[in-house]
Amino acid sequence: MDPLNPMASAQGIPFPGLTRERRKSRAAGRLVPFLTALWLLGILFADNAAPDSAQVAQGIALIWIVPIAVAVGGERFLFAPVFRQHALVFAAVLAFLLITLPQALFSGDPTASFSFWLLTVAGTVICAGMWSLLEGHELAFLRVYSLLGIAVLTGVLLMTYEGLGRFDTIRNPNAIGLIVISLISSSFAFRSVPVRTVLIAAGVLTILAASSRSALVGAMICLLYTSDAADDSA
C-alpha cells in the first residue's frame, strides 16, 4: 500500500458487496427501459384486450409493474423525487385528485367513475416513480418503446388489415395515429439513420392505413421539429 496515497491501492481491492451492488445497478439499468416500454404499450392497448372490462384491463396493465419497480427502486419509486422535491407539483396533483373525487362519486355511474379515479391516482404515483427510475436511461427507453411499438403495430397491420376501410383492429383509428406520433418521435433516439428511416416509414404507413388526417399532419410537424432538434444536437 502506498503510504502517501492509501486509496490508490484500495481502489484495486475487490469488495464483494460493492461489486454485487454495481452489477445489480447495471442489470436494473438494462432492465428498466425495456420493462417501462412494455408497460406503457400495455396500457395503450389494454382496452382492446378486454373491451367489456376496461377498468380491469387498465388496472392490470397499470399495476403489474409495481412489484418489480419497488424491488428495483424502493423508496425512490414509491415517493418519487418530483413530489418530494417540488411542493408545488405535489400540491397541484393533490388538488386535482381532491377536486375530481366528488365528481366521480356523484356521476351517473359512480362505480365506474370511482374505479377510473383510483386508476388515475395509481397512474400518477406509478408514472412519477417510473420516471425517476428511468433517470439516465431515457434514450434507451425511447429506443425500446419505438422499436417494440412499431413492430407490434406493423405486425397487426400486416396480419389483419385487408386494405378496405380504416385500420382499427386494436384501437380507434385516430387513437392509433396518436400512438404512432409518439413512436415516430421516439425513433429519433436511434443514431442510425437507416433504423430511423425504417421506423418512420412503418409509422407513416400505419397512419395512412388508419386514414387519420390529424395524425398525419401531427406526424409531419413532429418530423420537422424532431429532425431539426436532432440536427442541432448532433
Side-chain angles (χ1 to χ4, degrees), residues 88-103:
L88 185 60
V89 173
F90 177 76
V93 171
L94 184 61
F96 168 77
L97 295 175
L98 291 177
I99 291 172
T100 54
L101 176 58
Q103 298 176 6

Side-chain angles (χ1 to χ4, degrees), residues 106-145:
F106 294 100
S107 68
D109 189 350
T111 302
S113 297
F114 183 65
S115 298
F116 282 117
W117 183 85
L118 288 177
L119 288 176
T120 302
V121 175
T124 302
V125 174
I126 295 172
C127 285
M130 294 306 298
W131 181 253
S132 70
L133 296 185
L134 276 176
E135 185 178 356
H137 307 289
E138 293 89 347
L139 289 179
F141 159 71
L142 291 174
R143 295 186 193 105
V144 176
Y145 172 68

Side-chain angles (χ1 to χ4, degrees), residues 150-163 167 169-170 205-206 209:
I150 290 292
V152 169
L153 283 176
T154 304
V156 174
L157 175 67
L158 295 175
M159 290 188 294
T160 64
Y161 184 60
E162 298 178 354
F167 172 51
T169 306
I170 54 178
L205 177 64
T206 304

